Amino acid sequence: MYTAYPVVAQQENDLGTEAQRAEGKEVYDIKCAHCHGYEGDASAVATPYLRPTPRDFTSGNYKFRSTASGELPTTEDIKRSIRLGMPYTSMPAWEGILSETEITNLAYYLKTFESAFDGPYGNPTVVEIPRAPAYSADPDHLARGREVFEANQCADCHGENGRGNGESAPELVDDWGYPIRAADMTKRWTFRASATREDVYRTFMTGLNGTPMPSYEQTIDEEDRWALVDYVWSLSRDTPDYGTTVIVQGQPSELVLGESLFEGVPETYFPIVGQVIEPGRAFYPGVNGISVRAVYNDSEIAIQLRWHDMTAETEGMNNPGIEVPMFDPAQPDTTMDGWSDAVAALLPSRTPEGLERPYFMFGDSRFPMSIWYTDLATDSAAVLTGQGAGRIADNGIALERSASYEDGVWTVQFKGPRNQGGLTMPEATFVPISFTVWDGFSGERGNKRGLSAWYHLYLEPMEAQSAVLPMAKWFLIVLGAELLIVALVNLRARRRKTA
Amino acid sequence: MNLFVFLAIAAAMVLIQFVVTRWVKLNRLAWMGIWWVALWAAFSYGINPPLPNSIILLFMAIITIALVAYLSADNEELKQAQDSIVRFMVARQYRVALLIVLFAIPAAVAAWTYVSMNEAPQPPSSGRTIHPPPPSSITFEGTAIDLTTANNPIRELQHTDEAAFAEHVANGRRIYFENCFYCHGDNMQGAGMFAHGYDPLPANFNDATTIAMLQESYLFWRIAKGAPGLPSESTPWSSAMPAWEDFLTQEEIWDVIIFLYEFTGFEPRAQGMPH
């Protein structure tokens, strides 16, 4: 007697050929190993300098997957992460640098770091993502999305309005114990698993393995998923729209600091990156952008700075002059506590001639900087003179200041004289300006800070010059010249005729 | 070059030459106008990256002179063209058209005045020098280094001791990924994670006009002295390049230079060759 066993068609795991994996290793050792480690275990020279920490491939935990939460990714998923990278992290997009073949070989090589790819779960099923219905800004639809957002406690990590400032956000760690930030939903361009609406949907469905972001496949039904996607979508503009110039509007009246002062004034958004240039380097700054508005009247200028910060540190102290130890992975910065949040707008100490300006760090002795500074543990602000890190002194110019923190947003307003001794800010001129933010939570103080390059303030003339007169002038000049020519030509033609 | 724009312009010209002229007789002057507009469209929309307006203006001035010269080369044709202009201004049948033209031209000038007065103001732009001439010598931690003769001491190992050379490359790699790749990027294309926050953008070492055309001593100067060591024509106040003499030893800088060339596959320009 023969026992008939049912034959189950077992699809083979997609592991590539030995030659493909060997070629993948060659690329890996040159392009990837310095962050992800030669053994794929994320233990490498650059790893301690990076947050989020480079992925440890030996765990089989991949953030971006088209498969269910906790499962392995497909080959295509791994290839996609290599191709597109992880925006606003140290993982670049390799598309266009590596060939499709190289990316495929790499994906097969990455699979060798985790034996499960060769096991019974090595060929996971893909969670189908339906085609996205058109985006709907219908208030009822978005209100439903908001309800789903609340019912699923999204705000616990992502904050009441999705700014990445939820109550538990400061304590979040990844599976390896490293701090990790909840996504700021108002900055969609920073989403790691890319940012189409299908991508957002997929992240809800599959979660991000290795992070605290779970899957909501079981808890949210199909229609509500799209309501949630569209609600999250509605929180952010499409692109960061980084600007280069703040248009400063003139006002005839007194500048009274407060919410209404900047109503209707255009806002410009600038990138903030880590200060990695001088000792005290900040490799993972807490702030990644700052929004700026400004107004002026005949004697004063007021500047408003707004930025997203997970928590307000209003205890402790801060100061641009504090000495910070050199970043050394072997001796991590242990004095992380006790630093308050702080912010500064940095201007040249005198009106620049031509292109010359102070060294954008903190100025230099050749051309010092005026630092409009406030420590948010205090309620005062001052203008400091900077001649470089460690050479910063109070210069005695009074600054008025107001500051508030609400639901993940710091708003700081400065007001000072337009004429600051050396620096005058006449109408219709460009004044160089840069920005620095200290996130106390991340241990930022002194030269350990988030900073910007030089940008400009432009003081829009209070009375715009009317175009009518110059237009009339040029119209008449050109018309007169034409009539003269036509008259001369006609005169000559008539003379010829009569002759 | 935008091939489609060029093809479209060429097609339009052919169409005018062989089809439109069946119904409308075009004189020399009209042809000149058509050529002028076609060339202007080609310069304005057919070239990528777009030419600056000042360059287009210059080109069009040259073309105008060339067209006038072409016209005046033949007395008969010049006279024909002149006559048609005079007829337009004198003959009664063109009176309405003449009036329209007489008002349209100053109106266009007035409109242009309006547009240029309402343009967003442009911040001062820098005519930045990318590879400024290096000084003849620099001081590194008290020792003078003559940049005109300095060679990378690691370079000779490339041919004499491959294993030792490989160690220096590996060390250069470590230094690069501990210090440089936040701006210059994983693939040395100047697209690191912080690059978008700096102006000027970090250098792209894959570009044939950066390290491929420089001597190793030049790189040593740029790395050791960074932005603060730049002459003023290179806007040292804006550059985010650190002065690495504060962080690295001489040998570490030579190692990372070796790594830059190994990774990109370029050869440094030999010492003694002019810049």
Side-chain angles (χ1 to χ4, degrees), chain A residues 264-293:
Chain A
V265 175
E267 190 165 50
T268 313
Y269 184 61
F270 299 102
I272 295 285
V273 293
Q275 188 289 103
V276 290
I277 295 150
E278 292 179 343
R281 305 167 83 191
F283 288 97
Y284 16 95
V287 177
N288 60 15
I290 191 163
S291 301
V292 185
R293 284 177 165 146

Side-chain angles (χ1 to χ4, degrees), chain A residues 29-31 33-35 38 45-46 49-51 88-90 92 94 97 242 245 271 273-279 281-285 326 355-360 366 430 451-456 458 465-467 470-471 474-475 478-479 482-483 485-486 489-490 493, chain B residues 85-86 89-91 95 98 101-111 113-114 117-118 121-127 173-174 177-183 186-187 189 191 193-199 227-228 232 235-244 246-247 263:
Chain A
D29 285 353
I30 294 170
K31 305 278 188 191
H34 37 260
C35 294
Y38 286 95
V45 291
Y49 298 84
L50 304 172
R51 292 282 185 281
Y88 286 77
T89 75
S90 53
W94 290 98
I97 298 170
Y242 292 130
T245 299
V273 293
Q275 188 289 103
V276 290
I277 295 150
E278 292 179 343
R281 305 167 83 191
F283 288 97
Y284 16 95
M326 191 77 127
L355 288 168
E356 194 180 13
R357 53 198 60 175
Y359 183 33
F360 82 111
R366 175 189 55 86
F430 284 90
L451 53 65
S452 82
W454 275 123
Y455 297 104
H456 287 104
Y458 177 76
Q465 202 195 342
S466 160
M471 281 169 73
W474 284 107
F475 186 91
V478 174
L479 185 67
E482 283 176 349
L483 289 175
I485 293 169
V486 172
V489 168
N490 273 290
Chain B
I85 295 174
V86 170
M89 290 188 192
V90 176
R95 201 43 60 85
L98 178 66
V101 170
L102 282 186
F103 277 90
I105 292 172
V109 171
T113 307
Y114 179 84
M117 280 187 73
N118 284 281
Q122 291 298 311
S125 65
S126 80
R173 182 186 180 82
R174 172 188 67 80
F177 285 102
E178 279 181 359
N179 296 291
C180 317
F181 98 109
Y182 311 94
C183 299
D186 282 79
N187 209 44
Q189 287 178 309
M193 62 189 294
F194 291 147
H196 69 285
Y198 293 123
D199 175 35
S232 61
T235 65
W237 44 82
S238 293
S239 167
M241 181 67 177
W244 289 101
D246 299 341
F247 299 85
F263 190 91

Side-chain angles (χ1 to χ4, degrees), chain B residues 176-255:
Chain B
Y176 183 85
F177 285 102
E178 279 181 359
N179 296 291
C180 317
F181 98 109
Y182 311 94
C183 299
H184 292 286
D186 282 79
N187 209 44
M188 300 194 180
Q189 287 178 309
M193 62 189 294
F194 291 147
H196 69 285
Y198 293 123
D199 175 35
L201 289 173
N204 172 2
F205 302 136
N206 287 280
D207 190 302
T209 67
T210 61
I211 61 170
M213 55 177 274
L214 296 167
Q215 294 167 354
E216 291 185 287
S217 62
Y218 189 99
L219 269 68
F220 188 89
W221 167 55
R222 289 304 336 121
I223 295 170
K225 298 297 176 182
L230 281 168
S232 61
E233 67 262 30
S234 293
T235 65
W237 44 82
S238 293
S239 167
M241 181 67 177
W244 289 101
E245 60 184 345
D246 299 341
F247 299 85
L248 302 174
T249 65
Q250 274 196 50
E251 187 174 294
E252 284 176 319
I253 293 179
W254 289 122
D255 281 355

